[in-house]
């Protein structure tokens, strides 16, 4: 480490705390600080140390007790080697070995620049340097090394974590360079390099000490370096530190992405120097490893974002429910998924039609490709064909470039068309041709396109009624309904309501940071008796809202945003007593539990109201 703080007073006495020229170093008690001080006299973020214009600068961060440099209180100070810094009860000595670093740079016997000459070349720089080393191995007839590099590039495609990359790298580099010791460093969230893996493994008796100066140097200059310490100049003990004192030879290669250091590789030999082919092999391998680490980290970030989005929407992969209707639906899904025909899913709004479509896709032979979903109701009628089948440049005003439609994007996979009844008649004609196996023309196109797409359509409308009204093609209806699935509404799945309530309540209580929240028996009973015209989607939204708005540690019945509707579509029962109970509950809800006002609203006496409440076991507390 060329620049660091050495603790001269306080906890961790004599500890060396490295400073990174590329990252601002925060010092204080807070968790966000790179240098954390267990000192009550220090502020959360007490001071900052930055490297700019070739100098180290200390800046006080508005601390309560101030910062001392060489016993003088200061807000900003240029640091020099040997300066003393005091924060609260902790004292440091600033050590700057940059002059020694320059001597070390001068004695490097062999190095290769990994930064691209063209500033716009980006991450291709490390790849280009790898290709140069690859060609050097090829020209030297090193066929075994070339074959292993090829295998490495193939193997890296299946790696999913930086740890896996490090393990493969160490094994391969040891075998081809005959290194006595190997270390693989990866940048952490602060940009500092941490040792991910090393060989031999560190034990109490055997500790591999790396050359920190060598690491910082290769990262700073973007060079792969080969020390070749057998030379007379390299025997100057004044510039040796760390591993350079105990090993005969060393190679250090930075792992780069767009001129940014994302890691480094250390190779050491204790008795002999490395061969030139070992240096070229290590550089070629590092270019492959660099791109692999970038890909793996991007995949990890995408997975985190994907999981976060799923947690926000409370999606679940399995169809929840053990009622007879749901068991039958699941059995049909398994059988239908193995077939190849089109599928029509019918069900009320919010009943889970897309969830059923995804279950079919996961159980089908097309599960290795993503299912694409399109809401036909959300596409304007004049853009329906363009969105589904694509268009060519100049096909209409505003078509300034070619557009690939949903059907072409879903080739060899599954396309879910929701609200299919909203599709235009022209679009229906093209869809019919595709389902019959014919190619189609994009809007304004002259070249036909053939696709292999399984269509799963869904609707909450009566398509047969649309056929009679000439709003939907009869031949398309029969072509789509090769297999037809009907999703039961939630009011017909009483056995599943408790299971769904538990699932959504557990999710949203954790998601909104209210794990101690409970669901009252009155609220639970109210949800059990509700008719749920909006089905599972409505249940999900009601619980989400109740968890947020509940005042206290328990969700009461009055916290549930349930609204009884009196439309013909909700006449699921003609039982007079059931409707009388609903009317009484609605009156109590509107009057916030006032029995006299509710009785007046219903046109009955107060005594009759009390008798009805007792008969139907309706508690006044539910509505207050």
């Amino acid at each position: 480490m060329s620049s660091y703080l050495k603790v001269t007073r306080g906890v961790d006495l004599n500890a060396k705390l490295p400073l990174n020229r590329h990252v601002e170093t925060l010092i204080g008690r807070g968790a966000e600080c790179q240098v954390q001080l267990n000192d009550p006299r220090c502020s959360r973020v007490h001071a900052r140390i930055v490297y700019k214009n070739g100098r180290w600068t200390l800046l006080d961060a508005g601390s309560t007790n101030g910062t001392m440099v060489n016993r003088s209180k200061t807000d900003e100070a240029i640091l020099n080697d040997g300066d003393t810094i005091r924060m609260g009860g902790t004292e440091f000595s600033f050590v700057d070995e940059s002059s020694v670093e320059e001597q070390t740079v001068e004695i490097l016997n062999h190095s290769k620049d990994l930064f691209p000459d063209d500033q716009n070349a980006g991450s291709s720089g490390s790849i280009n340097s790898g290709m140069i080393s690859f060609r050097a191995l090829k020209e030297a007839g090193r066929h075994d090394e070339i074959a292993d590099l090829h295998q490495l590039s193939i193997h890296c495609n299946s790696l999913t974590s930086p740890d896996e990359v490090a393990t493969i790298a160490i094994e391969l580099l040891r075998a081809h360079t005959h290194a006595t010791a190997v270390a693989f460093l990866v940048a952490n969230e602060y940009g500092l390099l941490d040792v991910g893996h090393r060989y031999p493994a560190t034990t109490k008796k055997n500790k591999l000490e790396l050359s920190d100066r060598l690491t910082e140097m290769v990262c700073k200059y973007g060079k792969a370096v080969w020390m070749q310490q057998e030379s007379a100049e390299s025997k100057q003990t004044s510039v040796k530190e760390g591993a350079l004192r105990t090993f005969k030879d060393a190679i250090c290669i930075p792992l780069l992405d767009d001129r940014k250091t994302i890691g480094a590789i250390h190779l050491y030999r204790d008795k002999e120097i490395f061969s030139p082919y070992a240096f070229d092999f290590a550089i070629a391998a590092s270019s492959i490893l660099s791109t692999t680490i970038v890909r793996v980290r991007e995949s990890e970030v995408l997975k985190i974002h994907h999981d976060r989005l799923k947690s926000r929407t409370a999606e679940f992969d399995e169809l929840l429910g053990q009622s007879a209707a749901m068991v039958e639906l699941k059995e049909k899904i398994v059988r239908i998924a193995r077939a190849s025909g089109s599928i029509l899913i019918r069900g009320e709004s919010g009943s889970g039609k897309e969830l059923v479509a995804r279950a079919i896709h996961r159980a089908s032979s097309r599960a290795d490709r993503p299912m694409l979903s399109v809401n036909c109701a959300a596409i304007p009628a004049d853009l329906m064909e363009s969105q589904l089948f694509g268009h060519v440049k100049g096909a209409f005003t505003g078509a300034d470039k070619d557009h690939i439609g949903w059907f072409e994007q879903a080739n060899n996979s599954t396309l879910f068309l929701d609200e299919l009844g909203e599709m235009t008649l022209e679009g229906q004609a093209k869809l019919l041709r595709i389902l019959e196996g014919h190619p189609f023309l994009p809007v304004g196109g002259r070249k036909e396109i053939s696709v292999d797409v399984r269509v799963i359509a869904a609707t909450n409308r009566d398509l047969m009624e649309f056929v009679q009204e000439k709003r939907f093609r009869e031949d398309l209806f029969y072509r789509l309904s090769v297999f037809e699935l009907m999703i039961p509404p939630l009011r017909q799945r009483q056995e599943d309501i408790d299971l769904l309530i538990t699932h959504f309540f557990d999710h949203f209580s954790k998601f909104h940071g209210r794990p101690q929240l409970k669901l009252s028996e009155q609220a639970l009973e109210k949800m059990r008796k509700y008719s749920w015209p909006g089905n599972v989607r409505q249940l999900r939204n009601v619980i989400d809202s109740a968890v947020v708005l509940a005042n206290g540690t328990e969700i009461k019945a009055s916290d549930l945003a349930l609204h009884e509707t009196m439309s013909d579509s909700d006449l699921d029962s003609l039982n007079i007593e059931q409707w009388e109970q609903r009317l009484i509950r609605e009156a109590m809800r509107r009057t916030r539990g006032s029995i006299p006002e509710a009785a007046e609203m219903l046109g009955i006496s107060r005594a009759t109201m009390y008798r009805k409440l007792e008969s139907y076991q309706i508690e006044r507390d539910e509505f207050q």
Side-chain angles (χ1 to χ4, degrees), residues 142-255:
R142 310 292 293 190
H143 302 299
D144 289 343
E145 283 87 344
I146 292 173
D148 282 343
L149 286 170
H150 177 66
Q151 289 297 320
L152 174 65
S153 64
I154 295 174
H155 196 173
C156 282
N157 289 329
S158 63
L159 302 181
T160 58
S161 72
D163 286 342
E164 292 180 354
V165 178
T167 301
I168 294 297
I170 288 177
E171 292 177 359
L172 187 69
L173 290 169
R174 276 185 59 217
H176 280 280
T177 65
H178 305 291
T180 307
V182 183
F184 194 91
L185 287 70
V186 181
N188 60 24
E189 64 269 28
Y190 300 114
L192 303 175
L193 297 185
D194 293 334
V195 179
H197 288 261
R198 68 179 85 199
Y199 176 88
T202 298
T203 64
K204 291 183 178 179
K205 297 182 179 180
N206 180 24
K207 181 178 180 180
L208 175 60
E209 186 178 0
L210 304 180
S211 172
D212 296 322
R213 188 182 308 155
L214 194 57
T215 302
E216 186 169 344
M217 188 172 56
V218 297
C219 296
K220 174 182 177 181
Y221 295 103
K223 290 180 179 291
V225 300
W226 177 14
M227 294 298 293
Q228 289 184 341
Q229 297 205 92
E230 66 172 2
S231 62
E233 294 86 355
S234 66
K235 292 180 181 179
Q236 300 176 39
T237 58
S238 61
V239 296
K240 289 187 180 181
E241 57 87 33
L244 302 183
R245 291 194 299 267
T246 57
F247 291 100
K248 185 176 183 63
D249 200 4
I251 291 175
C252 188
I253 303 171
L255 303 176

Side-chain angles (χ1 to χ4, degrees), residues 13-27:
L13 190 65
N14 295 323
K16 295 180 179 180
L17 309 173
L19 301 174
N20 190 328
R21 294 185 179 185
H22 309 292
V23 179
E24 180 182 69
T25 301
L26 302 181
I27 306 173

Side-chain angles (χ1 to χ4, degrees), residues 343-347 353 356-357 360 416 456-459 483 485 487:
I343 303 170
L344 179 63
I345 302 174
R346 296 176 56 203
K353 295 185 286 296
V356 170
I360 295 171
F416 175 62
I456 301 178
T459 182
F483 302 105
L485 289 175
I487 303 178

